Amino acid sequence: MSRVTGPAASPPPASASVVKKLLLDWFATLGWKPFGFQRDVWKAVKNGESGLLHATTGAGKTYAVWLAALQAFAPLRSSTPRAAAPPLTVLWLTPMRALAADTVRALQAPLDALESAQPGAAPWTVGARTGDTASSERSAQSRRLPSVLVTTPESLSVLLSRADAKEVLGTVRMVVVDEWHELLGNKRGVQVQLAIARLRAWRAVAADEALSIWGMSATLGNLNEAMTTLLGHPDGTLVQGQVPKKLVIDSLLPATSERFPWGGHLGLSMLPQVIEEITRSSTTLVFTNTRSQSEIWYQALLAAKPEWAGLIALHHGSLDRGVREWVERGLKSGELRAVVCTSSLDLGVDFLPVERVLQIGSPKGVARMLQRAGRSGHAPGRPSRLTLVPTHSIEMVEGAAARAAIAAGHIESRTSPEQPLDVLVQHLVTVALGGGFVPDELYAEVRGTAAYARLSRETWDWCLSFVRQGGPSLAAYPDYRRAMPDEHGIWRVPDARLARRHRMNIGTIVSDASMAVQYLGGARVGSVEESFAARLKPGDCFLFGGRLLELVRIREMTAWVRRATGKRHAVPRWNGGRMPLSTTLADAVVQQLALADEGCYETPELQRVRPLLEIQQQWSALPTPQTLLAEVLKTREGWHLFLYPFAGRHVHLGLASLIAWRVAQHAPRTFSIAVNDYGFELLCAQELDWPALLPQLLQVGPVRQAQDHRDQQTPKASEGLLHEVLQSLNASELAQRRFREIARVSGLIFQGYPGENRSNKQLQASSSLFWEVFRKYDPANKLLLQAEQELLAQELEIGRLHTSLVRMNTQRLVLKVLPRPTPFAFPLMVERFREQLSNESVADRIARMVQQLEKAAGQAPAGGSAPPQDAAQVRETLVFGQEGAAGASKSSTGKRPSRRQPARPLPPL
């Protein structure tokens, strides 16, 4: 444990020791003993310190911080059982509404024990305030908040917008941020930073006492940075809980491994094994990476085991709240055998009956794998087990890589966004509503956060001008005069209508407009994205909530449905489902390939995938940390380049577009691009001498400047790279898409009052109008620049792209000229086919190519390789695994390639 002590507060009253004794007695009645890290937190909070607690899932983090708060802030107030509850003292922030009720129960248990042992020992009240809180409870909280409030970042910001916010929240002595890793790397975490800065300033004025701030996490790689971001300064206490806990990470391996895989090819073949594993455990969570996948797998399980109806369930964020709560109750009681779920069950909900976690497809990150593994055995001393169910052969290597990374303690880092001005603009209006602000004082307060520590005075003044009049292009419109100084120089919201609008749209969670799904004359099922529902016609069927539904009509943003049977159906698609392979896991995968390159196949995963890796090694080579593998192939389609940086799909899309753009600067060329998490393919119909071109094309800086800038990490080279990446993509269209979200968060677009139905088309039209107006009449608008910066940082991962290029230039280029596609190249070709052809045509082509490749590879070792699928089997797998595909494809212009059928049967490769 590393400890840095911050400014100490006044010592707690002596009666705190009595509270501690009562709490230890309660622990003893449960057969528990405090862990060392729990005692460390109790001592730190007693000494007035703030910090971060990092310990494994289920180790007891909640009681470490909560019992510390009780000992420090809940001394004996009276010997009578009816002592008045203290005002709001502890704010407990949770990233998900679903966790609030569970957290309230956990916090209430020791209070009940104290009250039972000695009436009046801790007359605290506990409540929750989230988007799910009933209006009657909200009304009661408006009159008096509980002593401990469990809430979300969005609901806290709404409280900050109350006119009496300072009086109501000025009594807060402690802020606890649960699952800090889930908030740290996004705008919701910035929202938390700004709120804590406000509370810290109020506490210092009200009581001349430092606000106690504690974060909790189980899966962070950069602990000191995470703590500094939360506290706003590095002077905190880092407590790391070392609790013995058995963690098992293994893989559910197919009986045989195909030597020429493609994204999702294992598909239904793994279903019998998944069913067998579910049967062996009392309760199992089956995680998928997308909501669409969860719908498909739930239906497949139910079709294979109809007797499980009522014993297995489905859980994802688009289902109705009542459905989700029913599933959660079934998990807690142990009534459900299995639940197919998404990230909606990733975080802190305590499901003790869960013994096993199955992960369908790679989770793409070590931290996510650890988080999901912790859903099983969620208690001190109980083992946690996660089993990876690969959706294609190469994912088996990811299973071995993740286990090695966890053993080595390698977990992904998360960093805070820097200066998101849309969040700051929203915060300015919130604070103007919550009693008003003086610009200089608020500027100092905002700069006390990690996200805005380098906020310039010029940018601050621009933000003030923006909330005052919307900038020069919107100055004539009253709706954008959202805050302005009064006669005393205090900035306030001048219009009650604008105040209501702002409160209804506080938050940074932005998603496409959704459409409710409801039975005719019956219950609400959930919601699907409007873009999916708009493509349906009455009579069309789709799979949702584990049921086959038929659309009857769409009216007032509601899709009215009835049950259907035996018809072909679509599966709803939700945006944002694809996750790129993290740098940490990608590096671990390459390390596993390096072991295979040396002939070391010790893990079960590498042994099963050995036939594939040996063919890759014989026909080409295996990537290693010291080498960069490139493959060149000539077919009747043209000249192919396959490159394997192992940097994740986002980076590969940027790299492929950059290389294609650099080639086209010398002579016009048209490219087709396909990417997955391992590499990318560039296909050109015209002949290209890739062996001669590639070394120059991989320069970090612009090719034409490469000879002038030998130092590839100079700022000038980085600026040139940024310019080239923007030129190589349809950057304006991509940035405009990012601007839609920024416009909503910053308050430019009003998303509507409750019950008011505004379609996605209306919202997009509004954001497009602002985009064009700003570009034409206010080109210096900083929200336009933010859209471009977010595009580069989040969608293209420009920092990771630059790092990848620098690393690639230090590696030895291994370039192989191929007579046929290798096992690594084949899945990239399939991804391109999937974009260009129908499922029937793709299935025929895949089956034919696999037969040719297997014939060229020769006889596989006994039991080492699966027989190739025929076209019908491939077609069935394509339908089952569409959401599980490992790649994406596009043309070099950013548009979807036109549909094109083969002119004649493919010749042998």
Side-chain angles (χ1 to χ4, degrees):
M1 181 187 75
S2 61
R3 181 183 294 273
V4 183
T5 304
S10 57
S15 54
S17 61
V18 179
V19 175
K20 180 177 181 180
K21 180 180 183 304
L22 293 175
L23 291 172
L24 291 176
D25 291 343
W26 175 60
F27 259 42
T29 62
L30 297 173
W32 298 348
K33 289 183 179 180
F35 292 114
F37 77 87
Q38 292 176 320
R39 291 185 179 276
D40 289 337
V41 175
W42 298 350
K43 181 179 178 182
V45 174
K46 178 182 176 182
N47 292 335
E49 302 169 21
S50 295
L52 175 69
L53 169 58
H54 190 265
T56 57
T57 299
K61 295 187 293 295
T62 298
Y63 284 148
V65 178
W66 174 226
L67 300 193
L70 287 177
Q71 294 172 48
F73 307 126
L76 289 170
R77 297 174 59 85
S78 170
S79 59
T80 64
R82 298 189 178 278
L88 179 61
T89 305
V90 176
L91 266 175
W92 197 284
L93 295 181
T94 174
M96 292 179 64
R97 292 179 294 181
L99 298 181
D102 205 63
T103 303
V104 167
R105 283 190 290 269
L107 301 186
Q108 188 64 49
L111 289 178
D112 292 342
L114 287 173
E115 184 68 18
S116 175
Q118 185 168 332
W124 284 29
T125 54
V126 182
R129 187 183 182 96
T130 70
D132 290 338
T133 303
S135 57
S136 58
E137 188 173 351
R138 286 175 179 272
S139 179
Q141 290 176 355
S142 297
R143 296 187 294 273
R144 180 178 176 83
L145 287 169
S147 310
V148 184
L149 184 65
V150 180
T151 190
T152 60
E154 293 74 25
S155 293
L156 175 56
S157 292
V158 172
L159 288 174
L160 287 173
S161 71
R162 289 175 47 158
D164 60 347
K166 186 173 182 180
E167 290 73 25
V168 171
L169 299 176
T171 59
V172 173
R173 302 178 68 183
M174 185 180 201
V175 177
V176 180
V177 184
D178 200 357
E179 309 284 3
W180 175 229
H181 58 271
E182 189 69 19
L183 298 168
L184 172 58
N186 54 48
K187 291 180 181 179
R188 299 183 75 207
V190 175
Q191 199 175 10
V192 170
Q193 293 179 50
L194 290 169
I196 287 177
R198 196 83 179 132
L199 296 173
R200 185 167 49 223
W202 284 343
R203 188 64 195 164
V205 171
D208 193 25
E209 174 186 87
L211 179 71
S212 179
I213 305 165
W214 280 86
M216 298 188 295
S217 177
T219 53
L220 274 171
N222 52 333
L223 295 177
N224 285 298
E225 182 181 358
M227 182 179 69
T228 299
T229 301
L230 177 65
L231 305 184
H233 58 78
D235 300 326
T237 301
L238 176 61
V239 178
Q240 293 182 262
Q242 303 295 333
V243 178
K245 185 176 178 68
K246 185 178 180 181
L247 174 64
V248 178
I249 303 291
D250 57 8
S251 298
L252 190 61
L253 302 177
T256 55
S257 170
E258 292 195 20
R259 294 187 289 183
F260 299 96
W262 42 276
H265 74 95
L266 289 175
L268 282 168
S269 66
M270 299 300 295
L271 187 60
Q273 290 174 262
V274 169
I275 291 173
E276 184 179 349
E277 295 301 317
I278 291 174
T279 304
R280 290 177 178 174
S281 302
S282 60
T283 303
T284 303
L285 290 180
V286 182
F287 276 103
T288 66
N289 289 337
T290 68
R291 283 169 280 188
S292 301
Q293 266 188 321
S294 69
E295 293 276 355
I296 294 168
W297 271 90
Y298 173 75
Q299 196 65 27
L301 287 170
L302 206 54
K305 300 286 285 186
E307 65 271 23
W308 281 0
L311 296 177
I312 64 173
L314 178 66
H315 191 290
H316 60 69
S318 292
L319 295 176
D320 186 67
R321 173 191 168 194
V323 175
R324 298 196 308 270
E325 290 179 346
W326 176 84
V327 174
E328 290 162 15
R329 287 194 298 270
L331 276 173
K332 286 179 180 293
S333 64
E335 296 173 2
L336 293 174
R337 178 182 290 275
V339 173
V340 183
C341 56
T342 63
S343 57
S344 58
L345 289 184
D346 263 5
L347 301 178
V349 180
D350 184 6
F351 299 125
L352 287 178
V354 175
E355 289 184 350
R356 187 83 178 274
V357 170
L358 299 178
Q359 167 66 46
I360 306 296
S362 167
K364 301 301 179 185
V366 178
R368 189 175 295 108
M369 182 172 281
L370 281 172
Q371 188 71 35
R372 292 182 173 179
R375 298 301 98 216
S376 64
H378 195 274
R382 292 183 58 186
S384 294
R385 182 181 180 188
L386 180 143
T387 300
L388 174 67
V389 181
T391 59
H392 63 95
S393 295
I394 304 178
E395 276 187 345
M396 287 185 262
V397 182
E398 289 189 42
R403 189 167 56 247
I406 291 170
H410 296 160
I411 305 175
E412 291 85 4
S413 298
R414 290 177 173 89
T415 57
S416 170
E418 188 166 352
Q419 297 186 35
L421 298 186
D422 54 343
V423 182
L424 180 55
V425 164
Q426 184 186 106
H427 184 68
L428 290 179
V429 182
T430 297
V431 174
L433 277 172
F437 67 88
V438 177
D440 287 346
E441 294 176 0
L442 186 59
Y443 177 57
E445 179 181 304
V446 168
R447 279 177 56 95
T449 65
Y452 299 100
R454 294 189 288 181
L455 182 71
S456 68
R457 174 65 73 168
E458 182 265 335
T459 301
W460 172 254
D461 291 340
W462 181 89
C463 292
L464 290 175
S465 173
F466 190 76
V467 298
R468 184 171 188 170
Q469 62 178 12
S473 57
L474 301 177
Y477 300 93
D479 279 1
Y480 303 103
R481 299 169 192 165
R482 293 179 286 168
M484 54 184 59
D486 62 13
E487 64 273 14
H488 305 294
I490 299 176
W491 285 56
R492 304 183 189 276
V493 176
D495 188 303
R497 181 180 61 88
L498 294 178
R500 286 193 301 271
R501 281 178 48 160
H502 178 78
R503 287 193 177 101
M504 296 310 305
N505 287 273
I506 284 176
T508 62
I509 300 175
V510 178
S511 60
D512 282 353
S514 60
M515 186 173 289
V517 179
Q518 189 165 350
Y519 287 118
L520 283 173
R524 188 175 183 272
V525 186
S527 59
V528 295
E529 287 188 359
E530 182 195 355
S531 56
F532 170 78
R535 295 195 297 268
L536 298 176
K537 302 185 296 294
D540 285 352
C541 295
F542 61 100
L543 195 64
F544 183 65
R547 305 176 180 92
L548 186 60
L549 306 176
E550 179 183 336
L551 178 67
V552 178
R553 62 176 176 267
I554 293 177
R555 183 173 297 169
E556 295 180 349
M557 293 297 285
T558 299
W560 297 93
V561 300
R562 59 184 168 219
R563 295 291 289 267
T565 56
K567 295 184 179 180
R568 292 191 61 183
H569 60 266
V571 179
R573 303 291 179 89
W574 287 269
N575 288 334
R578 285 273 178 90
M579 297 175 291
L581 191 69
S582 73
T583 301
T584 302
L585 187 52
D587 291 345
V589 168
V590 176
Q591 291 287 350
Q592 293 295 310
L593 295 178
L595 291 174
D597 188 56
E598 296 170 357
C600 182
Y601 292 89
E602 294 181 354
T603 64
E605 292 88 352
L606 287 184
Q607 290 170 9
R608 187 55 48 85
V609 82
R610 183 170 185 167
L612 181 156
L613 298 179
E614 287 182 339
I615 291 295
Q616 175 68 32
Q617 198 171 27
Q618 292 169 19
W619 290 5
S620 175
L622 288 172
T624 70
Q626 293 76 37
T627 60
L628 173 65
L629 176 62
E631 297 172 343
V632 176
L633 174 67
K634 169 66 173 69
T635 69
R636 70 180 186 84
E637 292 182 300
W639 282 257
H640 306 252
L641 169 69
F642 302 98
L643 198 65
Y644 306 100
F646 280 80
R649 67 174 62 255
H650 290 172
V651 171
H652 291 160
L653 177 59
L655 282 172
S657 302
L658 175 65
I659 291 174
W661 184 82
R662 285 178 171 179
V663 171
Q665 298 310 294
H666 302 284
R669 293 284 190 276
T670 299
F671 292 89
S672 290
I673 296 173
V675 304
N676 62 21
D677 279 317
Y678 314 128
F680 60 86
E681 175 198 23
L682 280 173
L683 169 62
C684 184
Q686 293 88 19
E687 183 176 0
L688 283 169
D689 187 359
W690 286 116
L693 288 171
L694 198 55
Q696 282 292 311
L697 296 174
L698 293 177
Q699 293 287 345
V700 178
V703 173
R704 58 182 176 275
Q705 298 177 3
Q707 299 303 317
D708 301 326
H709 301 288
R710 299 292 184 183
D711 182 0
Q712 294 165 345
Q713 299 191 50
T714 61
K716 191 168 185 179
S718 297
E719 291 169 11
L721 173 64
L722 187 148
H723 171 76
E724 284 193 308
V725 170
L726 289 175
Q727 290 293 317
S728 67
L729 294 161
N730 189 3
S732 178
E733 171 60 30
L734 294 173
Q736 184 174 354
R737 190 172 64 199
R738 298 296 309 184
F739 181 78
R740 292 171 191 164
E741 300 181 6
I742 292 169
R744 295 190 202 182
V745 173
S746 64
L748 284 173
I749 297 175
F750 178 51
Q751 299 180 66
Y753 294 109
E756 182 182 355
N757 298 313
R758 301 194 73 195
S759 71
N760 205 36
K761 286 185 177 180
Q762 290 174 304
L763 297 176
Q764 287 187 7
S766 298
S767 66
S768 297
L769 179 60
F770 282 115
W771 172 264
E772 295 300 334
V773 167
F774 288 160
R775 281 167 58 95
K776 188 172 183 179
Y777 300 106
D778 187 13
N781 191 295
K782 291 186 180 294
L783 297 184
L784 296 179
L785 178 61
Q786 183 184 337
E788 186 177 283
Q789 290 172 337
E790 287 188 8
L791 166 67
L792 289 167
Q794 297 175 26
E795 292 195 34
L796 301 178
E797 297 187 70
I798 189 67
R800 189 176 173 188
L801 191 153
H802 180 267
T803 302
S804 298
L805 273 176
V806 171
R807 186 190 70 244
M808 290 159 66
N809 275 266
T810 65
Q811 294 174 308
R812 178 171 58 88
L813 180 63
V814 177
L815 196 149
K816 300 289 185 178
V817 179
L818 307 175
R820 62 186 68 85
T822 63
F824 282 13
F826 181 62
L828 286 165
M829 298 181 76
V830 171
E831 292 310 322
R832 185 165 44 79
F833 300 158
R834 289 173 118 164
E835 288 291 317
Q836 296 172 341
L837 307 173
S838 66
N839 272 357
E840 289 77 10
S841 300
V842 171
D844 292 337
R845 193 160 188 179
I846 290 174
R848 188 163 54 246
M849 289 182 69
V850 169
Q851 289 174 355
Q852 295 170 7
L853 291 169
E854 285 288 355
K855 183 178 180 181
Q859 185 66 34
S865 179
Q869 294 177 322
D870 60 27
Q873 292 171 316
V874 172
R875 193 175 303 116
E876 184 180 17
T877 305
L878 280 168
V879 173
F880 181 81
Q882 279 177 337
E883 284 298 312
S889 172
K890 65 183 275 295
S891 68
S892 60
T893 62
K895 300 178 181 178
R896 185 185 177 100
S898 59
R899 182 184 175 97
R900 178 173 58 83
Q901 302 287 353
R904 58 183 183 277
L906 286 175
L909 289 164

